[in-house]
Amino acid sequence: MKKEDDDLKDFFLEMKKGDASFDVLPLAKLLRQQKPQKLPVWAVVAATINIILFVGGFWYQSLQPTEGVDALPLVDTQSFIDQNSDMMTWETPTDKLLTNF
């Protein structure tokens, strides 16, 4: 167990030595080098047009007169239910296997 611990320590010491050889720029210098990104003019214009069309569409819809919904005519459905049809009766598919021939 002792040898494995020493091997791990040696491995990580070598990794640290390898990492120490790299020059790392300070964060402040990296941030200064970054240029602020601006949106292209066409993207701003396109977004503005989309917003105007979206709001204008809702405004136009609100100006349209709303029509009342008429009630549907009453239909006597009881007569359809009372009719005996093949669809109103159901037999299991295996019923025929259980009957005597």
XYZ file of all heavy atoms in Angstrom:
812
model
N 0.828 -1.186 0.000
C 0.000 0.000 0.000
C 0.873 1.250 0.000
O 0.525 2.234 -0.638
C -0.914 -0.069 1.229
C -1.928 1.016 1.282
S -3.173 0.684 0.042
C -4.389 1.836 0.478
N 1.968 1.192 0.699
C 2.865 2.339 0.804
C 3.458 2.683 -0.561
O 3.570 3.851 -0.916
C 3.958 2.015 1.836
C 4.917 3.105 2.092
C 4.287 4.115 2.994
C 5.367 5.066 3.459
N 4.838 6.253 4.025
N 3.814 1.636 -1.333
C 4.416 1.869 -2.640
C 3.422 2.541 -3.593
O 3.788 3.436 -4.350
C 4.909 0.550 -3.232
C 5.559 0.718 -4.589
C 6.247 -0.532 -4.983
C 6.857 -0.516 -6.360
N 6.978 0.696 -7.069
N 2.144 2.108 -3.532
C 1.120 2.714 -4.394
C 0.935 4.188 -4.050
O 0.776 5.015 -4.951
C -0.205 1.965 -4.238
C -0.181 0.564 -4.814
C -1.459 -0.200 -4.531
O -2.403 0.390 -3.954
O -1.522 -1.379 -4.878
N 0.959 4.531 -2.770
C 0.818 5.928 -2.360
C 1.984 6.758 -2.876
O 1.798 7.879 -3.357
C 0.746 6.039 -0.842
C -0.574 5.511 -0.284
O -1.532 5.392 -1.067
O -0.627 5.226 0.925
N 3.187 6.186 -2.785
C 4.371 6.906 -3.280
C 4.314 7.087 -4.788
O 4.696 8.147 -5.307
C 5.655 6.162 -2.884
C 5.922 6.221 -1.382
O 5.387 7.157 -0.737
O 6.649 5.344 -0.868
N 3.814 6.058 -5.477
C 3.689 6.168 -6.932
C 2.708 7.279 -7.319
O 2.974 8.056 -8.234
C 3.207 4.833 -7.528
C 4.279 3.745 -7.481
O 5.464 4.093 -7.300
O 3.918 2.557 -7.639
N 1.593 7.365 -6.599
C 0.616 8.409 -6.887
C 1.187 9.791 -6.596
O 1.001 10.733 -7.363
C -0.652 8.196 -6.055
C -1.629 7.160 -6.586
C -2.761 6.937 -5.603
C -2.188 7.565 -7.923
N 1.898 9.919 -5.488
C 2.504 11.211 -5.148
C 3.508 11.631 -6.204
O 3.535 12.799 -6.621
C 3.186 11.136 -3.786
C 2.225 11.136 -2.625
C 2.983 11.081 -1.308
C 2.023 10.995 -0.140
N 2.699 10.881 1.146
N 4.338 10.683 -6.655
C 5.327 10.994 -7.689
C 4.645 11.409 -8.992
O 5.087 12.345 -9.670
C 6.233 9.775 -7.945
C 7.158 9.484 -6.776
O 7.365 10.395 -5.938
O 7.657 8.340 -6.692
N 3.570 10.705 -9.337
C 2.849 11.022 -10.566
C 2.317 12.456 -10.530
O 2.490 13.220 -11.473
C 1.686 10.022 -10.761
C 0.780 10.363 -11.890
C 1.178 10.152 -13.209
C -0.474 10.906 -11.653
C 0.342 10.469 -14.259
C -1.314 11.234 -12.696
C -0.908 11.001 -14.005
N 1.693 12.825 -9.413
C 1.122 14.162 -9.327
C 2.195 15.235 -9.202
O 2.010 16.364 -9.676
C 0.114 14.250 -8.179
C -1.199 13.594 -8.513
C -1.593 12.417 -7.894
C -2.032 14.134 -9.471
C -2.797 11.813 -8.216
C -3.241 13.548 -9.805
C -3.620 12.376 -9.173
N 3.322 14.925 -8.592
C 4.433 15.893 -8.550
C 4.961 16.166 -9.945
O 5.266 17.318 -10.286
C 5.556 15.383 -7.641
C 5.315 15.521 -6.137
C 6.451 14.847 -5.359
C 5.209 16.980 -5.745
N 5.072 15.131 -10.758
C 5.509 15.318 -12.150
C 4.499 16.151 -12.934
O 4.886 16.996 -13.744
C 5.704 13.955 -12.823
C 6.916 13.187 -12.336
C 7.026 11.802 -12.964
O 6.451 11.609 -14.062
O 7.654 10.942 -12.364
N 3.214 15.912 -12.677
C 2.177 16.692 -13.353
C 2.275 18.169 -12.959
O 2.156 19.053 -13.800
C 0.781 16.159 -13.005
C 0.480 14.779 -13.538
S 0.308 14.740 -15.326
C -1.248 15.539 -15.502
N 2.520 18.443 -11.682
C 2.645 19.822 -11.212
C 3.858 20.501 -11.835
O 3.792 21.669 -12.220
C 2.761 19.863 -9.686
C 1.460 19.628 -8.973
C 1.655 19.743 -7.470
C 0.373 19.451 -6.723
N 0.545 19.544 -5.275
N 4.961 19.763 -11.935
C 6.164 20.334 -12.550
C 5.905 20.651 -14.027
O 6.349 21.679 -14.540
C 7.342 19.371 -12.418
C 7.879 19.260 -11.015
C 9.009 18.240 -10.959
C 9.440 17.995 -9.516
N 10.432 16.926 -9.414
N 5.188 19.779 -14.703
C 4.866 20.013 -16.109
C 3.948 21.217 -16.275
O 4.111 22.017 -17.198
N 2.996 21.365 -15.370
C 2.084 22.503 -15.441
C 2.779 23.810 -15.101
O 2.421 24.870 -15.616
C 0.895 22.297 -14.494
C -0.068 21.244 -14.999
O 0.021 20.891 -16.194
O -0.904 20.772 -14.199
N 3.772 23.752 -14.241
C 4.481 24.968 -13.828
C 5.307 25.552 -14.972
O 5.617 26.739 -14.968
C 5.369 24.672 -12.634
N 5.649 24.736 -15.946
C 6.476 25.223 -17.051
C 5.675 26.076 -18.042
O 6.267 26.775 -18.855
C 7.126 24.046 -17.781
O 6.142 23.261 -18.406
N 4.340 26.040 -17.995
C 3.513 26.831 -18.903
C 3.365 28.251 -18.374
O 3.212 28.481 -17.179
C 2.106 26.219 -19.047
C 2.099 24.895 -19.749
C 1.684 23.751 -19.098
C 2.491 24.790 -21.071
C 1.662 22.535 -19.736
C 2.471 23.583 -21.731
C 2.064 22.447 -21.061
N 3.431 29.208 -19.297
C 3.186 30.597 -18.927
C 1.689 30.856 -19.032
O 1.082 30.667 -20.087
C 3.940 31.563 -19.860
C 5.445 31.505 -19.639
O 5.850 31.135 -18.519
O 6.189 31.815 -20.576
N 1.125 31.316 -17.958
C -0.302 31.594 -17.924
C -0.494 33.099 -17.794
O 0.083 33.741 -16.925
C -0.970 30.865 -16.732
C -2.454 31.185 -16.676
C -0.745 29.372 -16.828
N -1.303 33.651 -18.701
C -1.589 35.080 -18.655
C -2.553 35.373 -17.504
O -3.451 34.591 -17.227
C -2.216 35.534 -19.967
C -1.336 35.455 -21.207
C -2.155 35.820 -22.430
C -0.160 36.387 -21.068
N -2.375 36.486 -16.836
C -3.330 36.840 -15.784
C -4.710 37.118 -16.380
O -4.838 37.532 -17.530
C -2.747 38.107 -15.155
C -1.511 38.430 -15.898
C -1.279 37.420 -16.954
N -5.721 36.899 -15.574
C -7.085 37.041 -16.035
C -7.393 38.463 -16.482
O -8.076 38.675 -17.487
C -8.066 36.615 -14.927
C -9.534 36.674 -15.288
C -9.850 35.722 -16.427
C -10.389 36.371 -14.084
N -6.883 39.446 -15.781
C -7.150 40.842 -16.138
C -6.626 41.146 -17.541
O -7.278 41.857 -18.311
C -6.528 41.767 -15.116
N -5.480 40.592 -17.876
C -4.916 40.834 -19.207
C -5.764 40.154 -20.287
O -5.966 40.698 -21.381
C -3.474 40.339 -19.260
C -2.741 40.736 -20.514
C -1.279 40.362 -20.452
C -0.572 40.830 -21.710
N 0.841 40.495 -21.710
N -6.254 38.966 -19.981
C -7.105 38.267 -20.940
C -8.413 39.026 -21.169
O -8.904 39.118 -22.291
C -7.425 36.858 -20.442
C -6.310 35.830 -20.538
C -6.740 34.525 -19.893
C -5.922 35.584 -21.980
N -8.972 39.580 -20.109
C -10.225 40.313 -20.251
C -10.034 41.595 -21.045
O -10.911 42.009 -21.782
C -10.811 40.619 -18.875
C -11.338 39.399 -18.105
C -11.836 39.828 -16.734
C -12.427 38.689 -18.873
N -8.901 42.244 -20.903
C -8.635 43.460 -21.670
C -8.466 43.141 -23.151
O -8.795 43.948 -24.009
C -7.373 44.162 -21.145
C -7.671 45.090 -19.992
C -6.450 45.899 -19.616
N -5.728 45.138 -18.590
C -4.420 44.879 -18.587
N -3.655 45.327 -19.536
N -3.881 44.194 -17.625
N -7.928 41.984 -23.468
C -7.703 41.612 -24.865
C -9.016 41.298 -25.587
O -9.087 41.383 -26.799
C -6.788 40.389 -24.947
C -5.356 40.681 -24.588
C -4.513 39.416 -24.642
O -5.014 38.320 -24.837
N -3.211 39.585 -24.449
N -10.047 40.927 -24.842
C -11.315 40.571 -25.455
C -12.031 41.825 -25.929
O -12.164 42.799 -25.200
C -12.185 39.861 -24.419
C -12.876 38.675 -24.938
C -13.662 37.982 -23.832
O -13.892 38.542 -22.773
N -14.076 36.773 -24.104
N -12.472 41.810 -27.175
C -13.195 42.947 -27.739
C -14.679 42.765 -27.466
O -15.208 41.666 -27.609
C -12.958 43.044 -29.244
C -11.534 43.346 -29.616
C -11.382 43.391 -31.121
C -9.930 43.642 -31.485
N -9.724 43.597 -32.936
N -15.354 43.817 -27.081
C -16.800 43.682 -26.888
C -17.482 43.430 -28.234
O -17.204 44.086 -29.226
C -17.228 45.014 -26.285
C -16.112 45.960 -26.587
C -14.871 45.144 -26.761
N -18.363 42.465 -28.248
C -19.041 42.113 -29.498
C -20.318 42.934 -29.624
O -21.110 43.030 -28.695
C -19.369 40.630 -29.515
C -18.137 39.761 -29.515
C -18.496 38.290 -29.514
O -19.644 37.917 -29.398
N -17.487 37.454 -29.647
N -20.509 43.524 -30.781
C -21.705 44.300 -31.060
C -22.605 43.503 -31.993
O -22.138 42.726 -32.822
C -21.334 45.630 -31.722
C -20.527 46.542 -30.835
C -20.230 47.844 -31.552
C -19.402 48.754 -30.684
N -19.062 50.000 -31.375
N -23.895 43.726 -31.829
C -24.844 43.092 -32.742
C -24.791 43.786 -34.088
O -24.684 45.013 -34.153
C -26.258 43.193 -32.182
C -26.607 42.279 -31.014
C -28.016 42.594 -30.525
C -26.518 40.833 -31.424
N -24.868 43.033 -35.168
C -24.922 43.666 -36.482
C -26.202 44.496 -36.614
O -27.229 44.208 -35.998
C -24.930 42.503 -37.462
C -24.687 41.279 -36.683
C -24.851 41.592 -35.250
N -26.143 45.503 -37.438
C -27.279 46.398 -37.635
C -28.473 45.634 -38.183
O -29.613 45.855 -37.754
C -26.889 47.563 -38.578
C -28.081 48.416 -38.906
C -25.772 48.381 -37.968
N -28.233 44.705 -39.088
C -29.337 43.961 -39.692
C -30.074 43.122 -38.642
O -31.282 42.922 -38.749
C -28.867 43.090 -40.857
C -27.882 42.029 -40.457
C -26.534 42.106 -40.473
C -28.193 40.720 -39.964
N -25.968 40.950 -40.024
C -26.965 40.070 -39.704
C -29.369 40.037 -39.716
C -26.895 38.779 -39.197
C -29.291 38.739 -39.213
C -28.063 38.131 -38.971
N -29.377 42.635 -37.623
C -30.032 41.833 -36.584
C -30.946 42.708 -35.726
O -32.048 42.298 -35.353
C -28.981 41.142 -35.721
N -30.486 43.925 -35.441
C -31.306 44.850 -34.655
C -32.547 45.253 -35.443
O -33.660 45.286 -34.909
C -30.475 46.084 -34.236
C -31.343 47.107 -33.528
C -29.296 45.668 -33.364
N -32.376 45.527 -36.730
C -33.502 45.910 -37.578
C -34.495 44.750 -37.689
O -35.718 44.948 -37.585
C -33.007 46.361 -38.975
C -34.164 46.544 -39.938
C -32.194 47.639 -38.847
N -34.008 43.548 -37.881
C -34.887 42.380 -38.009
C -35.665 42.138 -36.712
O -36.863 41.839 -36.747
C -34.072 41.145 -38.373
N -35.003 42.270 -35.575
C -35.690 42.078 -34.293
C -36.763 43.143 -34.092
O -37.866 42.849 -33.611
C -34.677 42.110 -33.150
N -36.462 44.378 -34.457
C -37.433 45.463 -34.318
C -38.654 45.224 -35.201
O -39.795 45.407 -34.765
C -36.776 46.809 -34.673
O -35.595 46.976 -33.884
C -37.707 47.959 -34.436
N -38.432 44.803 -36.428
C -39.546 44.525 -37.343
C -40.406 43.392 -36.797
O -41.640 43.460 -36.831
C -39.019 44.207 -38.760
C -38.439 45.480 -39.388
C -40.110 43.612 -39.638
C -37.720 45.237 -40.682
N -39.768 42.350 -36.275
C -40.529 41.230 -35.716
C -41.382 41.670 -34.537
O -42.541 41.255 -34.410
C -39.599 40.098 -35.289
C -39.150 39.275 -36.465
O -39.873 39.134 -37.436
N -37.953 38.724 -36.377
N -40.842 42.478 -33.677
C -41.608 42.955 -32.518
C -42.782 43.813 -32.967
O -43.898 43.672 -32.460
C -40.684 43.715 -31.546
C -39.706 42.748 -30.888
C -41.476 44.462 -30.490
C -38.612 43.396 -30.091
N -42.541 44.696 -33.924
C -43.617 45.555 -34.424
C -44.727 44.714 -35.054
O -45.918 44.949 -34.812
C -43.068 46.591 -35.418
C -42.201 47.617 -34.677
C -44.179 47.269 -36.190
C -41.437 48.550 -35.576
N -44.369 43.721 -35.854
C -45.377 42.864 -36.481
C -46.146 42.043 -35.433
O -47.363 41.858 -35.540
C -44.731 41.932 -37.504
C -44.235 42.600 -38.788
C -43.500 41.588 -39.655
C -45.398 43.215 -39.547
N -45.461 41.567 -34.435
C -46.085 40.771 -33.380
C -47.104 41.608 -32.604
O -48.253 41.207 -32.433
C -44.994 40.228 -32.446
C -45.498 39.294 -31.391
C -45.872 38.006 -31.709
C -45.589 39.712 -30.074
C -46.335 37.143 -30.740
C -46.054 38.863 -29.095
C -46.427 37.569 -29.434
N -46.690 42.788 -32.168
C -47.591 43.664 -31.416
C -48.721 44.159 -32.319
O -49.879 44.214 -31.905
C -46.806 44.843 -30.799
C -47.736 45.873 -30.191
C -45.817 44.329 -29.756
N -48.405 44.501 -33.557
C -49.427 44.959 -34.497
C -50.452 43.881 -34.785
O -51.645 44.174 -34.942
N -50.038 42.643 -34.862
C -50.972 41.542 -35.098
C -51.959 41.392 -33.958
O -53.161 41.195 -34.173
N -51.467 41.463 -32.728
C -52.377 41.383 -31.582
C -53.311 42.589 -31.540
O -54.489 42.462 -31.215
C -51.595 41.269 -30.274
C -51.206 39.860 -29.952
C -49.875 39.469 -29.978
C -52.166 38.922 -29.617
C -49.521 38.178 -29.680
C -51.817 37.616 -29.310
C -50.499 37.245 -29.350
N -52.793 43.751 -31.852
C -53.617 44.952 -31.850
C -54.712 44.847 -32.917
O -55.867 45.159 -32.673
C -52.740 46.181 -32.089
C -53.502 47.463 -32.147
C -54.154 48.102 -31.138
C -53.702 48.260 -33.312
N -54.739 49.234 -31.591
C -54.478 49.365 -32.939
C -53.291 48.142 -34.640
C -54.856 50.338 -33.836
C -53.671 49.126 -35.529
C -54.446 50.209 -35.124
N -54.355 44.360 -34.096
C -55.322 44.190 -35.185
C -56.398 43.174 -34.793
O -57.578 43.368 -35.076
C -54.594 43.745 -36.461
C -55.508 43.546 -37.637
C -56.057 44.638 -38.311
C -55.837 42.270 -38.079
C -56.905 44.450 -39.387
C -56.680 42.072 -39.145
C -57.212 43.173 -39.803
O -58.058 42.988 -40.863
N -55.979 42.082 -34.151
C -56.947 41.062 -33.730
C -57.916 41.626 -32.700
O -59.082 41.276 -32.685
C -56.234 39.848 -33.123
C -55.714 38.871 -34.120
C -56.827 38.085 -34.787
O -57.951 38.551 -34.937
N -56.509 36.890 -35.222
N -57.422 42.509 -31.821
C -58.297 43.054 -30.784
C -59.334 44.009 -31.388
O -60.392 44.220 -30.797
C -57.480 43.771 -29.717
O -56.907 44.948 -30.241
N -59.058 44.575 -32.560
C -59.998 45.493 -33.191
C -61.103 44.772 -33.954
O -62.136 45.368 -34.262
C -59.262 46.434 -34.149
C -58.276 47.412 -33.509
C -57.608 48.240 -34.589
C -58.976 48.313 -32.507
N -60.899 43.508 -34.283
C -61.879 42.748 -35.048
C -63.104 42.458 -34.182
O -62.976 42.135 -33.003
C -61.285 41.425 -35.548
C -60.104 41.595 -36.473
C -60.460 42.379 -37.721
O -61.499 42.144 -38.323
N -59.605 43.303 -38.085
N -64.308 42.589 -34.764
C -65.505 42.283 -33.971
C -65.582 40.780 -33.699
O -65.243 39.959 -34.550
C -66.653 42.738 -34.872
C -66.080 42.741 -36.249
C -64.611 43.023 -36.101
N -66.016 40.473 -32.507
C -66.147 39.049 -32.165
C -67.573 38.612 -32.434
O -68.537 39.341 -32.188
C -65.821 38.818 -30.675
O -66.673 39.652 -29.890
C -64.373 39.156 -30.386
N -67.723 37.428 -32.964
C -69.040 36.886 -33.279
C -69.447 35.933 -32.166
O -68.634 35.166 -31.666
C -69.001 36.137 -34.612
C -68.699 37.027 -35.793
C -68.617 36.249 -37.096
O -68.932 35.046 -37.084
O -68.246 36.847 -38.104
N -70.713 35.973 -31.804
C -71.216 35.054 -30.790
C -71.331 33.664 -31.372
O -71.629 33.475 -32.554
N -71.155 32.693 -30.542
C -71.267 31.310 -30.984
C -72.698 30.859 -30.731
O -73.200 30.922 -29.608
C -70.272 30.411 -30.221
C -70.426 28.964 -30.638
C -68.860 30.903 -30.450
N -73.374 30.430 -31.788
C -74.744 29.947 -31.646
C -74.726 28.541 -31.070
O -73.800 27.761 -31.320
C -75.462 29.934 -32.993
C -75.668 31.338 -33.541
O -75.708 32.283 -32.722
O -75.763 31.482 -34.773
N -75.757 28.236 -30.342
C -75.873 26.897 -29.778
C -76.182 25.912 -30.899
O -76.892 26.227 -31.853
C -76.968 26.859 -28.723
N -75.653 24.725 -30.767
C -75.919 23.685 -31.761
C -77.348 23.183 -31.594
O -77.876 23.158 -30.474
C -74.930 22.537 -31.584
C -73.464 22.875 -31.848
C -72.583 21.691 -31.499
C -73.279 23.243 -33.308
N -77.977 22.776 -32.684
C -79.345 22.256 -32.561
C -79.339 20.955 -31.763
O -78.388 20.172 -31.824
C -79.775 22.030 -34.006
C -78.515 21.945 -34.776
C -77.504 22.772 -34.043
N -80.396 20.759 -31.006
C -80.495 19.532 -30.219
C -80.804 18.361 -31.131
O -81.665 18.429 -32.004
C -81.603 19.683 -29.165
C -81.323 20.715 -28.071
C -82.537 20.834 -27.165
C -80.096 20.336 -27.288
N -80.100 17.292 -30.929
C -80.308 16.082 -31.723
C -80.686 14.981 -30.758
O -80.068 14.818 -29.701
C -79.020 15.716 -32.499
C -79.215 14.418 -33.261
C -78.615 16.834 -33.414
N -81.699 14.219 -31.132
C -82.122 13.120 -30.273
C -81.157 11.957 -30.453
O -81.216 11.237 -31.450
C -83.560 12.709 -30.632
C -84.100 11.672 -29.677
O -83.583 11.594 -28.536
O -85.029 10.942 -30.065
N -80.273 11.786 -29.511
C -79.270 10.715 -29.622
C -79.781 9.422 -29.026
O -79.193 8.365 -29.265
C -77.973 11.109 -28.900
O -78.255 11.419 -27.551
C -77.303 12.273 -29.596
N -80.841 9.491 -28.238
C -81.345 8.276 -27.609
C -81.787 7.267 -28.657
O -81.605 6.071 -28.488
C -82.508 8.618 -26.671
C -82.939 7.471 -25.776
C -81.832 7.029 -24.835
O -81.048 7.841 -24.385
N -81.775 5.746 -24.570
N -82.330 7.731 -29.772
C -82.787 6.803 -30.804
C -81.618 6.035 -31.413
O -81.752 4.888 -31.783
C -83.549 7.557 -31.893
O -82.681 8.475 -32.525
N -80.468 6.651 -31.485
C -79.290 5.951 -32.007
C -78.818 4.890 -31.022
O -78.353 3.831 -31.404
C -78.151 6.922 -32.291
C -78.456 7.895 -33.390
C -78.392 9.253 -33.150
C -78.792 7.463 -34.651
C -78.671 10.157 -34.152
C -79.065 8.352 -35.666
C -79.017 9.714 -35.414
N -78.939 5.181 -29.749
C -78.471 4.240 -28.735
C -79.406 3.046 -28.642
O -78.983 1.919 -28.437
C -78.354 4.959 -27.374
C -77.266 6.020 -27.461
C -78.052 3.976 -26.265
C -77.167 6.916 -26.252
N -80.701 3.296 -28.785
C -81.675 2.225 -28.639
C -81.619 1.208 -29.769
O -82.045 0.074 -29.597
C -83.094 2.803 -28.564
C -83.317 3.535 -27.251
O -82.542 3.276 -26.302
O -84.237 4.372 -27.201
N -81.128 1.589 -30.913
C -81.077 0.679 -32.043
C -80.118 -0.468 -31.741
O -79.024 -0.262 -31.225
C -80.623 1.406 -33.304
C -81.611 2.393 -33.820
C -81.058 3.148 -35.021
O -79.931 2.934 -35.421
N -81.866 4.033 -35.574
N -80.552 -1.667 -32.057
C -79.690 -2.825 -31.868
C -78.804 -2.977 -33.089
O -79.284 -3.142 -34.194
C -80.537 -4.095 -31.685
C -80.371 -4.650 -30.295
O -79.459 -4.257 -29.584
N -81.251 -5.557 -29.935
N -77.560 -2.901 -32.905
C -76.657 -3.089 -34.038
C -75.524 -3.992 -33.595
O -75.331 -4.267 -32.411
C -76.116 -1.747 -34.523
O -75.281 -1.204 -33.538
N -74.760 -4.431 -34.548
C -73.628 -5.300 -34.233
C -72.574 -4.572 -33.404
O -71.824 -5.190 -32.668
C -72.992 -5.825 -35.523
C -73.919 -6.798 -36.245
O -74.775 -7.387 -35.562
O -73.768 -6.942 -37.467
N -72.540 -3.282 -33.541
C -71.551 -2.533 -32.794
C -71.920 -2.403 -31.323
O -71.091 -2.140 -30.478
C -71.362 -1.141 -33.405
C -70.729 -1.209 -34.775
S -70.148 0.345 -35.362
C -69.003 0.830 -34.143
N -73.215 -2.583 -31.003
C -73.653 -2.443 -29.622
C -73.452 -3.723 -28.824
O -73.534 -3.715 -27.615
C -75.117 -2.028 -29.576
C -75.382 -0.691 -30.255
S -74.331 0.609 -29.632
C -75.253 1.096 -28.211
N -73.212 -4.827 -29.500
C -72.956 -6.084 -28.789
C -71.531 -6.498 -29.059
O -70.998 -6.304 -30.154
C -73.909 -7.190 -29.281
O -73.713 -7.363 -30.676
C -75.359 -6.831 -28.981
N -70.938 -7.087 -28.040
C -69.537 -7.473 -28.172
C -69.345 -8.862 -27.632
O -69.877 -9.223 -26.572
C -68.645 -6.499 -27.397
C -67.188 -6.799 -27.525
C -66.389 -6.523 -28.583
C -66.364 -7.419 -26.550
N -65.111 -6.936 -28.340
C -65.060 -7.492 -27.078
C -66.577 -7.931 -25.274
C -63.995 -8.054 -26.391
C -65.518 -8.488 -24.591
C -64.243 -8.543 -25.149
N -68.615 -9.638 -28.368
C -68.268 -10.994 -27.956
C -66.769 -11.104 -27.926
O -66.077 -10.561 -28.787
C -68.804 -12.001 -28.998
C -70.003 -12.748 -28.550
C -70.409 -13.772 -29.599
O -69.557 -14.587 -29.997
O -71.568 -13.723 -30.007
N -66.280 -11.821 -26.952
C -64.833 -11.999 -26.889
C -64.393 -12.861 -28.060
O -65.129 -13.752 -28.501
C -64.413 -12.659 -25.569
O -65.012 -13.963 -25.480
C -64.814 -11.822 -24.375
N -63.213 -12.660 -28.555
C -62.744 -13.454 -29.700
C -62.597 -14.927 -29.367
O -62.688 -15.793 -30.242
C -61.384 -12.849 -30.037
C -61.380 -11.514 -29.388
C -62.304 -11.581 -28.240
N -62.401 -15.261 -28.097
C -62.198 -16.655 -27.733
C -63.482 -17.357 -27.333
O -63.468 -18.524 -26.969
C -61.198 -16.751 -26.575
O -61.685 -15.977 -25.495
C -59.827 -16.275 -27.006
N -64.619 -16.672 -27.375
C -65.893 -17.288 -27.042
C -66.193 -18.495 -27.922
O -66.715 -19.504 -27.467
C -67.031 -16.279 -27.179
C -67.491 -15.783 -25.813
O -66.932 -16.238 -24.810
O -68.377 -14.909 -25.795
N -65.868 -18.410 -29.156
C -66.153 -19.502 -30.097
C -65.305 -20.738 -29.799
O -65.699 -21.843 -30.109
C -65.925 -19.030 -31.525
C -66.899 -17.970 -31.928
C -66.670 -17.475 -33.310
C -67.677 -16.380 -33.582
N -67.455 -15.702 -34.824
N -64.176 -20.554 -29.169
C -63.334 -21.694 -28.834
C -63.917 -22.485 -27.651
O -63.645 -23.659 -27.491
C -61.925 -21.231 -28.488
C -61.145 -20.530 -29.610
C -59.827 -20.002 -29.069
C -60.892 -21.497 -30.751
N -64.691 -21.798 -26.827
C -65.242 -22.446 -25.640
C -66.535 -23.189 -25.895
O -66.958 -24.017 -25.097
C -65.455 -21.395 -24.549
C -64.194 -20.681 -24.062
C -64.570 -19.576 -23.105
C -63.249 -21.647 -23.407
N -67.203 -22.896 -27.014
C -68.500 -23.545 -27.280
C -68.273 -24.921 -27.880
O -67.266 -25.200 -28.539
C -69.334 -22.707 -28.259
O -68.583 -22.523 -29.444
C -69.686 -21.371 -27.634
N -69.215 -25.805 -27.609
C -69.144 -27.183 -28.160
C -69.640 -27.157 -29.596
O -70.603 -26.489 -29.937
C -70.019 -28.132 -27.341
C -69.474 -28.316 -25.939
O -68.269 -28.179 -25.721
N -70.364 -28.610 -25.010
N -69.030 -27.963 -30.405
C -69.414 -28.012 -31.812
C -70.473 -29.046 -32.035
O -70.578 -30.060 -31.570
C -68.197 -28.318 -32.698
C -67.214 -27.188 -32.700
C -66.045 -27.228 -31.953
C -67.440 -26.047 -33.464
C -65.149 -26.206 -31.962
C -66.540 -25.015 -33.481
C -65.378 -25.091 -32.732
